[in-house]
Amino acid sequence: QVQLVESGGGLVQPGGSLRLSCEASGSVNNIYAMNWYRQAPGKQRELVAKITSGGSTNYTDSVKGRFTISRDKSNNMIYLRMNSLKPEDTAVYYCNVGILLPGLKFLDYWGQGTQVTVSS
């Protein structure tokens, strides 16, 4: 299995920046995609950004041009750089990974989340 621990959240003013980190440990060799989700109070959890094992990335429209997802394979870290933050970005952010096992068996793992609050 895979264990995920997020960090880097906090309180930031509008227009500020944060970098979220996700440390992955365990069976990391078969990860096919890494994702960042977020969930605001009273709203459903939504996919914010994803990166595949080949390095392709995708973002939800509301964060395009402001957020950047990346992966450092040397230390099994996944990052989400967030610039030009807005109050609407306030949410708990979760790291998620998908595992592809032999026989096309897929598994998903989640971190506990880190709070991001954008407020003046």
Side-chain angles (χ1 to χ4, degrees):
Q1 63 178 347
V2 175
Q3 294 80 43
L4 303 172
V5 180
E6 302 99 333
S7 62
L11 175 64
V12 64
Q13 295 185 7
S17 299
L18 286 174
R19 188 182 72 166
L20 305 183
S21 300
C22 175
E23 183 178 7
S25 61
S27 301
V28 299
N29 291 336
N30 293 320
I31 293 176
Y32 74 91
M34 296 180 175
N35 312 285
W36 283 99
Y37 286 77
R38 67 185 180 188
Q39 187 167 23
K43 296 185 177 180
Q44 292 182 305
R45 188 171 299 185
E46 66 172 343
L47 177 63
V48 177
K50 70 182 301 179
I51 184 168
T52 69
S53 60
S56 298
T57 60
N58 198 14
Y59 304 89
T60 191
D61 287 343
S62 63
V63 308
K64 287 181 178 178
R66 300 189 297 120
F67 291 11
T68 303
I69 187 171
S70 61
R71 178 186 181 185
D72 185 348
K73 294 184 178 180
S74 66
N75 56 7
N76 298 315
M77 298 289 290
I78 310 99
Y79 303 101
L80 184 68
R81 178 67 181 181
M82 305 184 295
N83 295 324
S84 302
L85 283 163
K86 305 175 181 179
E88 308 92 88
D89 297 317
T90 296
V92 177
Y93 285 72
Y94 298 90
C95 183
N96 164 263
V97 301
I99 303 294
L100 177 60
L101 299 176
L104 296 180
K105 180 178 177 62
F106 292 90
L107 297 174
D108 288 289
Y109 296 92
W110 295 86
Q112 293 299 307
T114 184
Q115 176 71 49
V116 173
T117 302
V118 185
S119 176
S120 59

